[in-house]
Amino acid sequence: MASESLIITRRLRVPVDLPQGETEGAPGAAAARQLDAALLSVGFACSPALLARLGRLPAGAVVDLGVRVLAAVRTLVGDHVRHNPYFVDFPRNVPDTVEFWAGLLAEALRDPVAAGRVSPGNLLTLPGYGVHRHSYADLLAAHAELVPLAGDRVTVLDLGGTLAAESEALFASLAGSEVPLSAEDVTLLRRLAGVCAGEPGRIPVRENRAVVNEARLAAGRAPLVDTVTDVLRLACGLSGGDVTLTDPTRFRSFTRAERRALLAALDGVATTAKLGDVPRHREQWKRLGERLHAHDYPRFPQAGHVFEVARGERPAVSLPGRVEVALAAGRTGEALRLLGNSPGALLRRLDHLLRSGESPSSVLYAARQAAGSASGRVLLSLREHLQNRAAASAPRIFANRNSRAWVTPDTRPPLDGGVIAEALALLDEEIGRRLPDPGVLVVDDDVLDVALPLSGKAVAPGLGLLPRGSVAPIDGELLRFFVHWREKERPTDYDLSALMLDADYGDALHVSWTNYRTGFAWYSGDLTEAPHGASEFVDIRLARATRPIVIPQVDVFSGERFDDAAEAFFGFMVRGEDQHGRPFEARTVRAKSDLRGAGRIALPLAFLRDEAGGWRAKWLHLYLKGHPAFNRVEAHRLTTSLLVRSIVERDYLRVGYLVDLMRAKSSATDRVTCIGLAAPADPPPGARVITLTTLHELIPG
C-alpha cells in the first residue's frame, strides 16, 4: 500500500480506516476542530465530510491521525524546514549592493586576522559573507505575526476511504494513465504494483507497462507484451535500470525462471515485422543477450532471432527506416501505404507529409483513416501542433524527459491555412467521438486555462503545480518566491534571482546576489552553504514593476546538482501590501515544487502583466544545462528570454478545449461530472470528479 502521507500529498485526501470503538457522539469532535484550526495555520482545512467523520472517532485516534496529517501537509507546502534568510529584516532594510560590500570590507579591515583570510580580488571570501549572522529566534523576534487576509490560500483536504482502497485507486490511476508519468510517479507506481491486487484492463504507456510487468513476473504471472521493446523495458526494470531506454542499463544476472519468462515473452512477439525495432536499441540488446543465453533454450527460436539482428547476423529494417527511404526518394505515396500499418507514426509525421509534395487531400485522407486507431494523446498533441502552425513562424522549443530545453529557429515552410483547418476539423471530430457523455457537466472556470497534461514528466510532485503552458491569475500585491536546499555531501551554493524584461523581451533588469534591489524588487541575501538547509527569497512589488515580464531563476553556483542535493524545492507566495509576517508563511504559499533534473539552471515559471494591468503566472518547468559552476542570471539572459518567449507565445491546448467538446455531448441524465482545480465541497453521490491531481484522466484513450 501507499503510505498515508503519499495519499494525502498526492490526492489531498485523508485515508480513514475503521478503528475499534467508533461510536456516535465520540469525544473526537473537539479534537477534529483543533486539527482543523492547526491545519488552517498552514493554509489547509478539513472538508465538511472529513470533519464529520473525524468527529465520530475516539479523540486519541483523531490526535494521532492529526499529527501525521499535519506533518504531511507541512512538507507539501515547504513548512517542514526553518526558512532563515541572510538579512534578518528582509524585506525591510535590504542594503544597496555597493553599501553591503563596503560594509563587509570595512569589517574585515578592522580585524587583521580576518583580513588575512580574504582572497585577493574575491569578495565572496570576506568574513561574514554567505553565512547567517543571526539565529532563527532572532528572525522571529524581528517580525510581527502574520496578518491573516481573506485571500490567503486554503487547500481543502477531503475524506478518503481506507488506506488500502486509496492505494488501489491511486495505482489504477497511475497505471492506466494515458500520458507518461514523472520519475517520482514511476517510482510510486513500482511500489504500488508490488502490493496492490487490482490491475487496470489497459496500460497504454509502455514505461508504465514495464513497471507493472515487473510485479507480474515476481508473482509468477506472464508479462503483458506485444513488441520486442516491451521485453527489453522489462529486463531493464528488473535490473533497476531505465525503462524509458534513454540511459543504458547494466543488466544483472537473472534467475533461471526469469530468463525463461523473458525468452518466452520475447519468442511470442519476435515476428519478422517486429524485428525491425531491434536495431534502434542494438547495444542494449547485445548486453541483454549476454545475460539471457538464448542458445540454451532452443524451444524459443524466435527469441534467438532478436539477438541475431542485434549482432548484425540477420537483416531487419524498421518501419521508420523504410519510410525514410521512401520519403528521401520522393515516393510519398509508398510512405503513406507503409504508415497505414502504424497510425500513430503517420499522425506524428503529418506535418512532414503535408510538405512532401503529395496531394494534401491524399495525405488528409490517410490521416482520417489513421485517426480512428491512434491514441488520444497523439491526437491531442497533433491538434496542439497544428494550431500553432497557423500562426507566424516562431522559434521551436524542444524539451526532453528531464525538462532540459533548447530552442531553434523554425525553418519549415508554412502550411496552407485551408489544409490546417481541414486537419483540425477531422481531429476535433475524432477526439469528440472518444470523449464520454459527461451527463451534467459542472466546471470551475479557473481550470479552463490549465494546459492539458499531455506528459507528466515535466512536473515534479508538489502543491498547486500546473502543466507546462498553463496560465493562472496572480491576485495579490506582493509576489515573493523562494528556494530552499540542503546539501548532501559537499558545500553547495544555490542562487535565487529574477530576470525582468520589457514586452519585447529586452531592456533587462535583474535582482540577485550581484544586485540586491531595484525600485520594485528586493533580494534576501546570498547564502553559500547549506549543511542544515538554506533559504533565499525575492520580493516583487507588482504595482511598482517597470517591466511586464518577471522570470524567477535558480542557479547552481557551486556544489551539488538539484538531483544530488539532500533536498531542493522552489515556490512562490502572494501577499497583501500591508500583510506582515515572517519571510516564509505557509498559508500564503500558492505553489511549491521539488527541483530536479540534470540541468544547473531552473526556470519554474514566468510572471506576466496583461494589457489590463493584472498579473498571471505561466508555467515553464524548464532546466538549462548551464556551466559546471558559477552560473549567474545575467550570464544566461539571452537564452532565458528566448526560451520563455517560445513558451509564452505558444498556443497550448487547454482544458477548456475538451470541456467545449464534452458540453456538445452532454445529456440530461443522472450522471454528473465535476471538473475543477479542487473537488467541490459536496459533490453529488456517484459523481465523477476530476481535479488537478487527476487531470490526466481527462485524456481520452
Side-chain angles (χ1 to χ4, degrees):
M1 291 184 293
S3 70
E4 185 179 62
S5 63
L6 273 173
I7 298 296
I8 294 169
T9 56
R10 297 296 180 89
R11 292 301 210 193
L12 298 177
R13 293 167 63 86
V14 179
V16 180
D17 290 326
L18 300 174
Q20 296 295 322
E22 178 185 4
T23 60
E24 291 293 335
R33 289 193 296 271
Q34 291 172 347
L35 170 60
D36 200 37
L39 287 170
L40 193 60
S41 69
V42 290
F44 292 84
C46 296
S47 70
L50 176 58
L51 202 59
R53 182 71 177 82
L54 294 177
R56 298 198 301 271
L57 300 180
V62 176
V63 171
D64 291 343
L65 177 60
V67 169
R68 301 193 300 272
V69 171
L70 195 57
V73 298
R74 289 187 65 196
T75 300
L76 178 62
V77 79
D79 193 46
H80 60 297
V81 299
R82 290 182 169 183
H83 295 273
N84 191 8
Y86 183 85
F87 296 128
V88 67
D89 289 334
F90 175 82
R92 304 185 306 273
N93 301 321
V94 173
D96 177 77
T97 312
V98 175
E99 172 191 344
F100 169 74
W101 289 108
L104 285 184
L105 188 57
E107 284 185 35
L109 293 176
R110 287 194 295 267
D111 184 349
V113 176
R117 292 196 292 266
V118 178
S119 300
N122 187 356
L123 294 178
L124 301 185
T125 60
L126 285 170
Y129 183 80
V131 295
H132 289 115
R133 309 180 77 179
H134 58 271
S135 67
Y136 189 68
D138 295 333
L139 174 82
L140 296 180
H143 293 269
E145 290 295 320
L146 177 72
V147 178
L149 293 180
D152 289 347
R153 176 189 53 81
V154 178
T155 301
V156 176
L157 299 177
D158 207 355
L159 171 65
T162 65
L163 182 57
E166 291 294 331
S167 297
E168 291 283 353
L170 180 55
F171 173 58
S173 179
L174 293 176
S177 173
E178 293 287 340
V179 302
L181 303 175
S182 68
E184 293 82 359
D185 280 345
V186 170
T187 300
L188 177 56
L189 176 63
R190 179 174 283 111
R191 175 177 170 181
L192 290 170
V195 295
C196 289
E199 188 176 289
R202 183 170 178 270
I203 307 174
V205 176
R206 300 286 177 174
E207 295 95 322
N208 299 350
R209 189 182 302 180
V211 171
V212 173
N213 278 336
E214 294 174 41
R216 291 178 64 92
L217 208 61
R221 302 165 66 192
L224 305 170
V225 299
D226 54 31
T227 70
V228 294
T229 310
D230 285 339
V231 181
L232 181 60
R233 293 184 195 277
L234 173 56
C236 290
L238 292 172
S239 301
D242 177 18
V243 295
T244 70
L245 306 182
T246 303
D247 299 323
T249 293
R250 185 181 181 90
F251 294 107
R252 64 171 172 83
S253 295
F254 298 105
T255 65
R256 183 174 292 274
E258 288 172 335
R259 288 162 55 195
R260 188 165 51 248
L262 288 170
L263 288 169
L266 195 56
D267 194 71
V269 295
T271 62
T272 301
K274 294 182 178 180
L275 288 178
D277 295 340
V278 175
R280 183 180 177 188
H281 304 288
R282 183 186 303 275
E283 293 305 315
Q284 295 207 59
W285 278 116
K286 288 181 185 178
R287 303 290 82 78
L288 180 59
E290 294 168 358
R291 294 295 188 181
L292 293 185
H293 309 296
H295 56 273
D296 291 341
Y297 296 86
R299 66 179 181 276
F300 302 133
Q302 298 296 118
H305 295 167
V306 171
F307 303 106
E308 291 173 4
V309 171
R311 295 191 298 266
E313 299 168 0
R314 178 183 289 269
V317 180
S318 67
L319 174 64
R322 295 163 66 192
V323 171
E324 287 294 341
V325 169
L327 289 174
R331 301 192 299 270
T332 306
E334 179 184 338
L336 285 172
R337 287 192 296 276
L338 291 169
L339 288 168
N341 297 318
S342 183
L346 188 151
L347 293 177
R348 290 187 185 97
R349 288 176 173 266
L350 186 62
D351 193 313
H352 185 187
L353 293 168
L354 288 170
R355 293 180 280 112
S356 65
E358 186 74 9
S359 164
S361 59
S362 299
V363 175
L364 290 177
Y365 175 80
R368 185 176 294 278
Q369 299 301 111
S373 303
S375 73
R377 178 170 170 256
V378 167
L379 298 176
L380 290 166
S381 297
L382 177 59
R383 213 289 178 189
E384 180 177 285
H385 168 80
L386 289 176
Q387 72 186 26
N388 283 278
R389 286 287 273 142
S393 222
R396 300 177 69 187
I397 184 169
F398 297 90
N400 64 17
R401 70 189 184 98
N402 293 321
S403 298
R404 284 269 296 278
W406 65 98
V407 174
T408 185
D410 190 353
T411 59
R412 298 168 300 182
L415 296 177
D416 178 77
V419 171
I420 292 177
E422 187 176 347
L424 293 179
L426 75 86
L427 291 171
D428 292 344
E429 179 183 347
E430 178 60 30
I431 293 167
R433 185 187 67 80
R434 297 189 188 193
L435 291 171
D437 177 359
V440 178
L441 190 59
V442 181
V443 181
D444 176 3
D445 287 345
D446 289 343
V447 80
L448 296 178
D449 278 337
V450 174
L452 287 174
L454 300 181
S455 174
K457 291 185 177 182
V459 184
L463 173 76
L465 304 182
L466 303 180
R468 180 183 292 139
S470 298
V471 177
I474 301 298
D475 54 4
E477 299 157 311
L478 170 67
L479 176 65
R480 177 174 296 171
F481 36 93
F482 60 90
V483 66
H484 179 87
W485 76 99
R486 178 166 53 86
E487 60 204 37
K488 184 185 294 183
E489 296 177 346
R490 57 194 176 108
T492 297
D493 179 8
Y494 290 176
D495 291 322
L496 182 65
S497 56
L499 180 66
M500 287 86 76
L501 304 171
D502 66 15
D504 294 321
Y505 297 86
D507 195 17
L509 285 176
H510 75 273
V511 61
S512 71
W513 67 273
T514 63
N515 188 41
Y516 285 168
R517 67 188 191 192
T518 69
F520 62 93
W522 292 263
Y523 174 59
S524 68
D526 188 20
L527 296 168
T528 59
E529 56 184 45
H532 306 295
S535 300
E536 295 183 4
F537 301 83
V538 167
D539 263 17
I540 307 289
R541 301 280 175 175
L542 295 176
R544 303 186 204 174
T546 60
R547 302 291 190 278
I549 301 170
V550 176
I551 308 167
Q553 183 168 309
V554 183
D555 296 318
V556 179
F557 187 79
S558 63
E560 298 164 342
R561 302 183 310 176
F562 301 124
D563 279 345
D564 299 329
E567 186 172 29
F569 58 84
F570 167 90
F572 74 90
M573 295 172 268
V574 176
R575 299 193 184 189
E577 186 73 32
D578 299 321
Q579 193 173 22
H580 301 296
R582 296 168 296 174
F584 183 92
E585 292 284 3
R587 65 186 299 165
T588 67
V589 173
R590 295 297 196 267
K592 174 255 182 182
S593 171
D594 290 344
L595 292 172
R596 57 169 169 79
R600 301 179 75 87
I601 299 171
L603 302 173
L605 73 172
F607 298 97
L608 313 167
R609 185 169 60 206
D610 59 30
E611 294 180 356
W615 287 82
R616 55 199 175 94
K618 189 152 191 176
W619 289 90
L620 306 176
H621 300 296
L622 295 178
Y623 291 84
L624 306 181
K625 180 179 180 180
H627 301 301
F630 313 130
N631 292 292
R632 294 179 297 126
V633 60
E634 54 267 46
H636 301 93
R637 178 180 62 81
L638 293 178
T639 303
T640 299
S641 61
L642 189 60
L643 276 171
V644 171
R645 183 171 194 166
S646 64
I647 287 186
V648 168
E649 296 183 352
R650 181 176 176 81
D651 183 15
Y652 283 84
L653 207 57
R654 301 185 177 97
V655 172
Y657 166 77
L658 286 186
V659 167
D660 288 342
L661 293 179
M662 293 172 75
R663 282 183 173 137
K665 301 186 69 169
S666 182
S667 61
T669 68
D670 293 336
R671 291 190 302 275
V672 177
T673 301
C674 302
I675 305 175
L677 295 179
D682 188 20
R688 183 190 184 200
V689 178
I690 300 292
T691 67
L692 190 55
T693 62
T694 56
L695 207 56
H696 63 275
E697 295 179 9
L698 273 180
I699 307 300

